[in-house]
Amino acid sequence: MAILVTGGLGYIGSHTVVELLNNGFEVVIIDDLSNSEKFILKNIEEITKKKPVFYPFDLKRKELLTQVFDAHKIDGCINFAASKAVGESQLKPIDYYENNLFSLINILQEFKERRLSSFIFSSSCTVYGQADTMPIDENTPLRMPESVYGKTKQMGEEILIDFAKAYHRKISLLRYFNPIGAHPSGKIGELPIGVPNNLVPYVMQTAAGIREKLSIWGNDYDTEDGTAVRDYIYVVDLAKAHVAALQRLMNDPSDETLIDIYNLGTGKGSSVLEVIKAFELANNVTVPYQICERREGDITIAYANPYKAEKELNWKSETSLEEALRTVWQWQKYLESRKV
Ligand code: WQD
């Protein structure tokens, strides 16, 4: 069975491709390399000893997408392809709506016409905004996200729910909390292009001396140490949840509509200062930092209730924050070795 993985050379996409190949699926990757690099494909092959098919296509070009569906028997899709920089999305809203939503709709046109089902959507806990109570479960009311990026995730979910209902198809909306870490092989990981937006890649580059010091965006939040709290989930555990969610859709014997929604997190919150401390302890390094003003649009606290995914997907995040942060430093060493 061939699974189409859009954005399959990206951070979460590449780790999911590894798990799909390890589970016997054939994989067809479409990735326009706008936020990923080609060497990741070679490294996926080194890790799995298998070769996914790769097309460097822009999903907004429908004629190219049709070529891929004509050439391969696609049995399901995991859709990662999207622009994802929260700050940039505020400056380029139309680019974000066009890229994130036109790509999704083009794929769904193919799915509709070819009567395909089993579609996994890469969503985000950002659809909850700042929830009133913790932990956040799937019944927590959605809030209008602060960022255009978050809005494209919420709109993407709505489009998929209407698609599933109208055409009786099977979809799974996976709401990630904060993905971190790198593959234990040290050959794939998060490739921040330019200055990292996210915390952990910035911590990594500060420890490596690439950045002078980390700015902690605010220490006046209503949390134990004043810094904001998030649920940091190891990327390989997250990738395994995608395979479990896909298998659940593909194994569903009914012809009925199926709309799965899962919060994918560890169920544990960690503050920015706790992440810094854990990184320093796990890797015996220091991370210089300064306290700065809050970042526009940031929320105080978010961590998941992962019970529904544990029960229905028989999946649980197994990896501790320290273990995940150890893989980050190993990945940084690999990137340095590539430069020599
Ligand atoms: C985490 C915490 C920052 C950088 C976003 C999206 C989410 C997902 C992941 C894409 C916050 C603080 C950060 C820094 C800091 N999207 N921080 N200094 O904002 O929780 O989630 O990225 O994959 O959908 O919403 O993640 O890593 O940017 O921030 O103090 O240099 O670290 O203020 O409290 P976030 P993040």
Side-chain angles (χ1 to χ4, degrees):
M1 291 183 234
I3 304 301
L4 172 62
V5 181
T6 70
L9 295 186
Y11 175 38
I12 304 164
S14 56
H15 288 84
T16 303
V17 166
V18 164
E19 296 308 320
L20 285 168
L21 293 171
N22 288 343
N23 278 273
F25 288 97
E26 284 169 53
V27 172
V28 176
I29 296 171
I30 297 179
D31 193 310
D32 66 2
L33 298 172
S34 61
N35 195 24
S36 55
E37 291 192 29
K38 185 81 183 303
F39 79 86
I40 294 292
L41 180 64
K42 179 178 64 60
N43 287 9
I44 288 171
E45 292 167 10
E46 282 179 18
I47 294 167
T48 61
K49 311 286 180 263
K50 294 179 181 168
K51 278 176 88 68
V53 177
F54 169 58
Y55 294 94
F57 288 174
D58 178 346
L59 288 158
K60 296 192 291 299
R61 294 193 50 196
K62 188 141 180 11
E63 73 284 3
L64 297 178
L65 190 56
T66 303
Q67 280 176 31
V68 176
F69 276 87
D70 287 344
H72 301 274
K73 183 181 176 311
I74 303 291
D75 298 283
C77 175
I78 305 182
N79 185 50
F80 293 101
S83 305
K84 56 160 236 174
V86 172
E88 183 189 56
S89 74
Q90 301 300 94
L91 306 173
K92 302 178 177 176
I94 303 308
D95 295 1
Y96 268 67
Y97 287 125
E98 182 190 36
N99 187 53
N100 294 4
L101 299 180
F102 280 22
S103 303
L104 173 63
I105 290 165
N106 281 347
I107 303 164
L108 291 179
Q109 289 280 19
E110 296 289 342
F111 263 59
K112 172 171 69 76
E113 284 146 29
R114 300 169 191 259
R115 304 196 55 69
L116 298 176
S117 196
S118 300
F119 194 104
I120 308 266
F121 181 64
S122 163
S123 190
S124 165
C125 62
T126 199
V127 301
Y128 296 111
Q130 176 57 75
D132 291 334
T133 54
M134 293 296 139
I136 301 172
D137 68 26
E138 290 79 358
N139 297 318
T140 299
L142 302 190
R143 288 233 166 95
M144 179 56 74
E146 303 268 344
S147 70
V148 167
Y149 158 79
K151 289 176 189 171
T152 67
K153 288 301 179 185
Q154 207 169 76
M155 292 172 190
E157 289 196 0
E158 292 304 322
I159 290 167
L160 272 154
I161 288 167
D162 291 339
F163 164 77
K165 284 179 179 169
Y167 307 111
H168 309 296
R169 307 296 167 86
K170 302 181 195 307
I171 65 165
S172 190
L173 310 177
L174 302 183
R175 294 172 178 167
Y176 313 154
F177 279 68
N178 287 60
I180 62 165
H183 192 265
S185 67
K187 291 177 182 291
I188 57 175
E190 188 168 10
L191 262 179
I193 297 180
V195 179
N197 294 298
N198 295 130
L199 176 65
V200 170
Y202 206 106
V203 165
M204 176 185 86
Q205 292 192 351
T206 304
I210 299 166
R211 308 287 163 199
E212 193 195 339
K213 60 173 73 170
L214 170 77
S215 301
I216 295 182
W217 304 127
N219 70 340
D220 58 347
Y221 285 101
D222 181 14
T223 62
E224 222 164 279
D225 64 21
T227 62
V229 171
R230 298 289 186 275
D231 183 332
Y232 295 95
I233 177 171
Y234 181 44
V235 66
V236 173
D237 292 340
L238 186 60
K240 288 176 178 170
H242 286 72
V243 178
L246 179 69
Q247 287 167 331
R248 176 177 151 93
L249 296 184
M250 299 183 93
N251 297 337
D252 181 80
S254 80
D255 288 338
E256 293 309 305
T257 296
L258 177 59
I259 298 172
D260 282 342
I261 299 177
Y262 297 109
N263 285 356
L264 297 180
T266 66
K268 181 178 175 305
S270 302
S271 73
V272 174
L273 283 171
E274 285 171 331
V275 170
I276 294 170
K277 187 93 36 261
F279 191 89
E280 291 179 328
L281 281 177
N283 300 305
N284 193 21
V285 294
T286 55
V287 179
Y289 63 81
Q290 61 189 353
I291 304 292
C292 300
E293 289 303 302
R294 294 184 180 189
R295 180 172 65 177
E296 185 67 30
D298 272 352
I299 58 172
T300 300
I301 183 166
Y303 58 90
N305 175 343
Y307 177 69
K308 188 182 175 202
E310 287 173 16
K311 185 164 68 78
E312 294 184 10
L313 300 181
N314 188 26
W315 165 88
K316 191 169 168 50
S317 172
E318 315 275 349
T319 310
S320 71
L321 180 65
E322 290 70 19
E323 285 169 275
L325 293 172
R326 232 187 307 281
T327 66
V328 173
W329 194 235
Q330 181 184 289
W331 167 241
Q332 172 56 33
K333 295 296 151 200
Y334 172 79
L335 291 174
E336 288 167 0
S337 71
R338 285 191 76 246
K339 294 248 183 306
V340 293

